[in-house]
Amino acid sequence: MNQKAKGIIGILTGGGDVPGLNPAIRAVTIRALREGYKVIGIRRGWKGLVDVIRDKKVDNSCNYFELTEEIVNKAGRTGGTFLHSSRTRASHVPQSAVPEHLKDKYNAEINDLTPEVLKNLEFIGIDYLIPIGGDDTLSYAVRLSQEGVKVVAIPKTMDNDVPGTDYCIGFSTCITRTIELTHDLRTCAGSHERLLVLEVFGRYAGFSAMLPTLAGAANRCVIPEYQFDIERLAELLCQDRYTNPSKYSVVLVSEGASYSGGQMMFQSDEADMFGHKKLGGIGDYVSNELKNLSPKFNKGETINVINQKLGYLVRCGNPDAMDSIVPMAYGNLALDLISKGMHGRLVILRNGRYDNAPIDIVTSSKKLVDINKFYNTDRLRPQYNSFEFMPQMIL
């Protein structure tokens, strides 16, 4: 693999899977191969670079392999990532996750394996690295860039919360599926005259609940950026139901949302390497409270609730049109930068135009819904004074 023409490009995917990853890998690979580069696919995100054994006699195909047009063409129109993924954070590896061949050297409770990653990149012969991920995956890419690795990053996350870009791969399919599934579930809510509570993705940012609500899929939404009053939500949904001829109403609940005086809800106290606990429970809480509170706003009669967590249904399957086109453009943008000898950059969409930004923009701020501009805290729904000159995805 060290026998190279113009150089070797490594590509990896980290964090949660989304539709659009395989089209991005395909775009990078085909363009790179036609311009004289070799492309190495690194398996399971940063974990693949942690687990490499630097011995030419060892089979490392479980950690990386050479990509060809045949390989990427087969996967390029499908969802998920054929390179697989993980939530490994190479700078914060717990002792239990340190590879067996490194346990003698790294035996602290939490270990920084960046020195090994740097040596492994050199061992593989990678000249440029293209990580595709959200703010967690790309925050470590920032670290590698600071260490001298030539990094060109591509933003991916269905929460659409990577700073510096208006759009992240996976967001459009997430919104499309959320709207479709919400409309499908309306038939159940309408048939039984119930309230419909749908829990959607969104740990810190409420974009994936705001956009479908704005598009008319739901009456209300609650988001992580604002602690909502459950009694006010019950009042609004009962009003919405009363004015609906089919006698039902819908609320989208971000998984990271919390009620007044409460906190995020988690399935357990176990955290990943980025310090994130697995979210879960806010949809159940909202559903139970709405049922208990409904008599107060429905002339003493209880309204039953349909409670559904959309979860992986909005991130599985094939990409929609936007998540087929944008990854193609992002992959080619990355190669544009590499062909110019540029690195330490993040490819982006800004104000409807493709561009690039310094990669450290990923760690410089948080990308959240501006509730003063876009969220009515009394009505618990999106608000807009004007759409003129707004970005395509509005928020």
Side-chain angles (χ1 to χ4, degrees):
M1 288 183 180
N2 287 307
Q3 294 177 353
K4 55 189 179 182
K6 294 178 71 173
I8 296 178
I9 296 172
I11 185 169
L12 62 85
T13 55
D17 64 293
V18 300
L21 290 172
N22 286 336
I25 298 167
R26 178 184 183 276
V28 167
T29 303
I30 289 180
R31 168 84 177 274
L33 291 177
R34 292 176 182 177
E35 293 193 3
Y37 293 93
K38 285 189 176 182
V39 183
I40 302 301
I42 298 162
R43 298 184 187 270
R44 303 182 309 283
W46 299 121
K47 182 172 173 56
L49 285 177
V50 166
D51 290 349
V52 169
I53 297 175
R54 295 188 297 277
D55 185 340
K56 293 182 179 179
K57 298 178 181 179
V58 172
D59 180 9
N60 272 301
S61 61
C62 59
N63 297 315
Y64 62 88
F65 64 108
E66 187 170 344
L67 297 183
T68 64
E69 285 199 30
E70 181 182 10
I71 291 172
V72 298
N73 272 327
K74 287 182 178 179
R77 292 176 293 276
T78 63
T81 166
F82 75 90
L83 292 180
H84 309 296
S85 188
S86 73
R87 293 200 57 78
T88 297
R89 187 182 185 186
S91 59
H92 293 71
V93 180
Q95 206 281 326
S96 60
V98 173
E100 198 64 35
H101 66 284
L102 297 175
K103 285 189 181 293
D104 291 341
K105 186 175 180 181
Y106 298 93
N107 49 29
E109 184 177 346
I110 301 295
N111 301 270
D112 184 358
L113 299 189
T114 302
E116 303 302 320
V117 170
L118 294 173
K119 293 175 185 176
N120 292 341
L121 286 168
E122 184 178 0
F123 174 77
I124 300 171
I126 289 175
D127 299 291
Y128 284 90
L129 182 63
I130 301 179
I132 310 174
D135 54 352
D136 286 338
T137 298
L138 299 188
S139 67
Y140 186 68
V142 173
R143 166 73 185 278
L144 288 184
S145 180
Q146 293 169 344
E147 295 283 351
V149 178
K150 295 177 180 178
V151 178
V152 178
I154 297 177
K156 171 275 322 177
T157 172
M158 60 177 42
D159 292 351
N160 206 40
D161 61 352
V162 173
T165 181
D166 292 343
Y167 190 78
C168 302
I169 294 173
F171 184 55
S172 178
T173 306
C174 171
I175 299 305
T176 300
R177 297 271 170 77
T178 300
I179 292 171
E180 290 175 347
L181 290 167
T182 304
H183 288 328
D184 288 344
L185 287 164
R186 284 175 181 277
T187 61
C188 299
S191 296
H192 299 280
E193 302 176 276
R194 296 181 180 180
L195 305 179
L196 176 59
V197 177
L198 301 177
E199 184 178 319
V200 298
F201 284 112
R203 177 178 290 269
Y204 299 117
F207 302 112
S208 55
M210 289 277 283
L211 263 293
T213 305
L214 183 68
N219 302 94
R220 312 288 163 180
C221 63
V222 291
I223 60 177
E225 292 87 345
Y226 178 76
Q227 285 198 324
F228 67 97
D229 182 279
I230 186 63
E231 190 161 316
R232 177 58 174 158
L233 178 61
E235 179 184 13
L236 291 168
L237 288 173
C238 288
Q239 289 175 358
D240 295 332
R241 177 181 176 272
Y242 179 77
T243 58
N244 185 343
S246 293
K247 293 295 181 284
Y248 73 92
S249 57
V250 183
V251 59
L252 297 184
V253 180
S254 297
E255 62 179 350
S258 59
Y259 58 91
S260 300
Q263 297 179 332
M264 281 185 180
M265 294 186 178
F266 305 102
Q267 294 183 16
S268 71
D269 288 332
E270 183 180 355
D272 63 22
M273 294 187 199
F274 292 93
H276 300 317
K277 299 177 185 178
K278 191 171 182 60
L279 289 164
I282 186 62
D284 296 334
Y285 169 83
V286 169
S287 296
N288 291 331
E289 289 300 303
L290 289 177
K291 183 175 181 179
N292 294 335
L293 289 166
S294 62
K296 182 175 180 180
F297 306 104
N298 190 46
K299 300 178 181 178
E301 294 185 13
T302 298
I303 304 173
N304 287 322
V305 180
I306 294 175
N307 173 23
Q308 183 68 53
K309 184 175 182 178
L310 298 187
Y312 289 93
L313 291 173
V314 302
R315 76 185 324 153
C316 66
N318 295 333
D320 68 5
M322 192 162 181
D323 279 324
S324 298
I325 296 168
V326 173
M328 177 277 300
Y330 277 176
N332 279 279
L333 281 169
L335 264 295
D336 288 341
L337 292 169
I338 289 174
S339 66
K340 297 174 184 176
M342 298 176 66
H343 54 86
R345 310 297 294 180
L346 173 73
V347 300
I348 63 172
L349 252 175
R350 181 184 291 151
N351 296 325
R353 296 180 181 273
Y354 291 106
D355 200 349
N356 65 87
I359 192 172
D360 58 9
I361 197 171
V362 172
T363 55
S364 65
S365 63
K366 293 289 185 182
K367 182 182 175 184
L368 304 171
V369 174
D370 186 335
I371 59 174
N372 293 323
K373 287 185 178 179
F374 303 126
Y375 188 69
N376 188 318
T377 56
D378 177 54
R379 306 297 295 170
L380 300 179
R381 58 174 292 109
Q383 68 174 8
Y384 290 88
N385 296 321
S386 173
F387 285 87
E388 188 175 18
F389 300 120
M390 294 292 291
Q392 180 182 6
M393 301 308 286
I394 301 171
L395 296 172

